[in-house]
Amino acid sequence: MAARREDSFFKKVFYAFQERSVRSQILITFFAASFILACIVMFTTNIFRKTITTVGESYQTNADLDKYLTLLSETQNAMESYMQYRTFESIDKYFHYEALLEEAAQKLRTNPSAITVQQKEYIIKQLSSNYFNLSGNAIAARRSNNNERINMYYNKTVECYSFLREEILSLNMMYFQSNAYTYEMNKAGMTVVINTSIVMMFSILGCAILLIYINISRIIQPISTISTVASKVAERDFDIELFNSTRKDEIGNICRAFDAMIISIRQYVDTIWEKAKKENELREKEIEMRALITDAHFKALQEQIKPHFLFNTLNTGAGLAMMEGADRTCYFLEQVADFLRYNIQHPGQDATIKDEIGMLDNYIYIMEVRFGNRYEFIKEIDEEALSKKMPNMILQPLVENCIKHGLKDITENGKIKIEVKINHEKNETEIAISDNGCGFDPSIKEKILAAKESGGTVIVKSDEINQNEHISTGLINVIARLKFYFKRDDVFNILDNEECKGTTFFIKIPDV
């Protein structure tokens, strides 16, 4: 049960560590490693300090006894110097060393003992007390110049000093033998302790290095993986395994963001692929339908008009008119032949504005012959714009619409204006065909601009007349062809003519 609790505790600590930021993880790892290293240094220092202290203490009793013997010798020398010279320095030195010697003697054993070493300490202390008494009496006798007492106490002091010295040396030898044995025991123990400490130190140091390596690897390895995946994505390889990271730090956020990005790219690529596939299918169908429609229209026109027969007939009529001196009739037939030849022999081909204007001149001449001075045609052409490309058969249907619908109720003074100019600011060529007729019904205009070509006609329902009104799809065909040719939706518009209450057909030809 306790093991499970410990396992749960470490898991909680690990998960809490994972939830921290990368900066916090690095700092925690650094401080943890620093703390472990500091503990190792402190532990090692303490082990060596204790080792040195233990070895030093092994001979501390010898050192103390040597110090005691040194003080005894200094005291004896000071007493002999005073006994011989009777100087103030010698008596002062005697009392100084005698006080230190008495203080050191307090540490010796005061009671007898069965243990040899302790009994020897007791003897030395008793001899030290006798020495202090005898030397003190000798000093007192020297001060009073009592020669009899001087010789007696001096000799006894020297004899006590000799005994005391021999006992100290004997005790010192006992201390040395005991301390040598203790030193060897401590040395062996310290060797084991030091070896164990070194093993523990390197083990703990290895754990610290392993801890640093594990945590740094946890940070670096995902970054390396992300770099590899990024390189694959840069090479347009999106078939890669997702991270599915459960980390809650910055690296986890990056992995989840990368997963979301890869999923979005895959979905986007799939969407583009499906869209491109559908567009290709629609484009193929559109091309096929246009080809069929163009072929059907052309074959129908061929069947209906029989171009060669028609051209031969027109040329024959022009020749008869010329033979009879009817020059205007001859010219009219030639213009009609050129107009029909342009329409029949060049279906669906590109043209220039110059070609369209030339064909439009033929059509205008035919209309002038037909209607006389009923309509006035005005042309304002910028010569620089004549080389611009556009679909063929665009301008003539617009002029025809002005005549048939815009000016149908006008018997005289009908005006149709054709303007071609280059707009350098917008990098486009503008063509405007306008009339001064009745204008466009807004609802019909809206439906025409929004309608698509379908079978040649478009039906617009009018509630006011409550019947189907058939409107020519010439405009719808023109609009559809312009949009398809220039790949834009803003190339055609129908505007109200503010000057003369009519309608203006406005075409924009963008510069390629």
Side-chain angles (χ1 to χ4, degrees):
M1 189 70 178
R4 289 184 179 179
R5 289 180 179 176
E6 290 180 1
D7 183 59
S8 177
F9 171 76
F10 285 115
K11 280 186 177 180
K12 290 181 180 179
V13 172
F14 179 73
Y15 290 143
F17 179 77
Q18 278 192 323
E19 291 178 356
R20 291 183 173 273
S21 63
V22 174
R23 180 175 178 270
S24 299
Q25 292 181 26
I26 294 175
L27 290 176
I28 290 173
T29 303
F30 172 77
F31 285 121
S34 300
F35 176 76
I36 293 174
L37 292 176
C39 291
I40 292 174
V41 172
M42 293 175 62
F43 178 76
T44 307
T45 303
N46 188 45
I47 290 295
F48 282 106
R49 182 179 62 80
K50 286 185 177 180
T51 303
I52 294 172
T53 302
T54 303
V55 173
E57 288 178 351
S58 298
Y59 293 94
Q60 185 62 42
T61 54
N62 291 101
D64 293 341
L65 202 58
D66 287 339
K67 183 179 180 182
Y68 189 84
L69 182 60
T70 301
L71 291 174
L72 179 62
S73 298
E74 292 293 337
T75 304
Q76 180 65 20
N77 292 334
M79 186 206 68
E80 290 178 354
S81 178
Y82 182 75
M83 297 299 292
Q84 184 178 359
Y85 300 109
R86 199 182 177 182
T87 60
F88 175 77
E89 289 81 10
S90 59
I91 191 64
D92 182 66
K93 184 181 292 185
Y94 168 77
F95 284 120
H96 173 71
Y97 285 114
E98 192 256 350
L100 294 176
L101 188 61
E102 286 184 354
E103 182 180 357
Q106 297 298 323
K107 299 178 181 180
L108 298 175
R109 187 171 182 83
T110 57
N111 298 319
S113 175
I115 301 174
T116 305
V117 175
Q118 295 181 359
Q119 181 63 26
K120 185 69 71 173
E121 288 182 359
Y122 174 74
I123 293 172
I124 290 173
K125 186 169 184 179
Q126 295 302 318
L127 287 174
S128 296
S129 298
N130 291 334
Y131 176 78
F132 294 148
N133 290 330
L134 292 173
S135 63
N137 290 330
I139 292 295
R142 183 73 177 93
R143 282 183 173 181
S144 63
N145 292 322
N146 189 340
N147 293 327
E148 184 180 353
R149 290 175 62 86
I150 290 172
N151 291 329
M152 180 182 65
Y153 284 114
Y154 177 75
N155 291 331
K156 290 182 177 181
T157 300
V158 172
E159 184 180 3
C160 183
Y161 171 75
S162 178
F163 287 150
L164 182 58
R165 182 178 176 83
E166 289 179 0
E167 292 296 328
I168 290 174
L169 291 175
S170 177
L171 180 60
N172 195 15
M173 182 59 65
M174 292 180 182
Y175 277 160
F176 182 79
Q177 292 175 353
S178 176
N179 290 337
Y181 176 76
T182 304
Y183 172 77
E184 291 298 329
M185 296 295 293
N186 290 336
K187 183 179 178 182
M190 287 302 104
T191 301
V192 174
V193 171
I194 290 174
N195 292 336
T196 304
S197 301
I198 292 175
V199 172
M200 291 179 61
M201 179 182 68
F202 280 104
S203 298
I204 297 174
L205 182 61
C207 292
I209 295 174
L210 181 62
L211 176 64
I212 294 173
Y213 174 78
I214 291 173
N215 286 314
I216 295 301
S217 297
R218 286 184 65 257
I219 296 172
I220 299 301
Q221 192 273 335
I223 295 177
S224 177
T225 305
I226 291 172
S227 176
T228 303
V229 172
S231 299
K232 291 183 178 179
V233 172
E235 295 174 358
R236 299 181 181 180
D237 181 9
F238 305 115
D239 188 16
I240 53 180
E241 185 178 356
L242 300 179
F243 292 100
N244 295 321
S245 177
T246 58
R247 298 176 57 155
K248 296 183 179 180
D249 54 10
E250 291 89 342
I251 294 178
N253 294 334
I254 293 174
C255 290
R256 284 186 289 274
F258 222 90
D259 288 347
M261 182 189 70
I262 292 172
I263 292 172
S264 298
I265 291 175
R266 289 176 180 174
Q267 293 175 348
Y268 184 66
V269 170
D270 292 341
T271 302
I272 292 177
W273 178 255
E274 291 296 329
K275 186 177 180 181
K277 185 177 179 181
K278 291 181 180 178
E279 288 182 352
N280 287 333
E281 291 177 355
L282 292 174
R283 187 176 294 109
E284 290 176 359
K285 290 180 180 179
E286 182 180 3
I287 293 173
E288 183 179 357
M289 290 298 295
R290 286 183 177 275
L292 292 174
I293 292 172
T294 302
D295 185 63
H297 286 178
F298 182 68
K299 288 181 178 179
L301 191 59
Q302 282 182 323
E303 292 296 326
Q304 293 176 5
I305 300 178
K306 300 295 183 182
H308 295 290
F309 174 76
L310 178 61
F311 293 150
N312 292 334
T313 302
L314 291 175
N315 290 330
T316 302
L320 291 174
M322 183 181 295
M323 292 174 60
E324 294 176 355
D327 295 335
R328 291 186 59 194
T329 302
C330 178
Y331 184 73
F332 175 79
L333 293 175
E334 290 176 351
Q335 295 298 311
V336 171
D338 292 340
F339 177 76
L340 292 177
R341 186 179 294 106
Y342 181 84
N343 281 274
I344 294 173
Q345 294 184 350
H346 304 283
Q349 297 181 2
D350 291 348
T352 61
I353 296 178
K354 181 178 181 181
D355 296 334
E356 285 289 284
I357 294 296
M359 190 275 293
L360 188 60
D361 288 339
N362 293 335
Y363 179 76
I364 291 174
Y365 176 78
I366 295 171
M367 293 299 104
E368 287 178 342
V369 172
R370 179 179 175 185
F371 296 104
N373 296 326
R374 182 176 176 180
Y375 306 118
E376 178 183 0
F377 296 92
I378 304 171
K379 292 193 298 182
E380 295 182 1
I381 308 299
D382 187 347
E383 298 293 333
E384 295 181 8
L386 294 178
S387 61
K388 301 294 181 182
K389 293 287 186 177
M390 65 181 298
N392 69 340
M393 288 301 295
I394 294 295
L395 302 184
Q396 183 271 332
L398 299 179
V399 174
E400 182 180 2
N401 189 279
C402 291
I403 296 173
K404 287 185 176 182
H405 300 287
L407 303 176
K408 63 181 180 178
D409 297 328
I410 296 179
T411 58
E412 58 183 12
N413 296 326
K415 292 183 180 181
I416 299 176
K417 186 175 182 180
I418 301 99
E419 295 180 272
V420 180
K421 62 180 179 180
I422 296 178
N423 189 331
H424 294 285
E425 295 181 359
K426 297 182 179 180
N427 293 324
E428 61 188 20
T429 301
E430 298 174 350
I431 301 175
I433 298 176
S434 57
D435 60 54
N436 61 343
C438 60
F440 238 99
D441 186 301
S443 61
I444 298 177
K445 178 174 67 175
E446 182 179 354
K447 292 179 180 180
I448 288 177
L449 291 175
K452 295 182 178 179
E453 184 181 8
S454 178
T457 60
V458 63
I459 300 176
V460 180
K461 294 184 178 180
S462 176
D463 296 334
E464 296 179 358
I465 60 178
N466 195 22
Q467 61 181 358
N468 290 338
E469 179 181 357
H470 294 270
I471 300 176
S472 172
T473 58
L475 285 178
I476 297 174
N477 180 273
V478 167
I479 296 172
R481 290 170 61 206
L482 285 171
K483 290 181 178 181
F484 181 79
Y485 185 86
F486 293 110
K487 305 297 188 294
R488 290 175 55 170
D489 293 333
D490 60 343
V491 292
F492 186 86
N493 200 1
I494 301 175
L495 307 174
D496 294 331
N497 194 342
E498 298 179 356
E499 295 180 359
C500 54
K501 306 298 182 181
T503 301
T504 298
F505 298 114
F506 186 76
I507 300 174
K508 293 193 299 183
I509 299 178
D511 291 342
V512 179

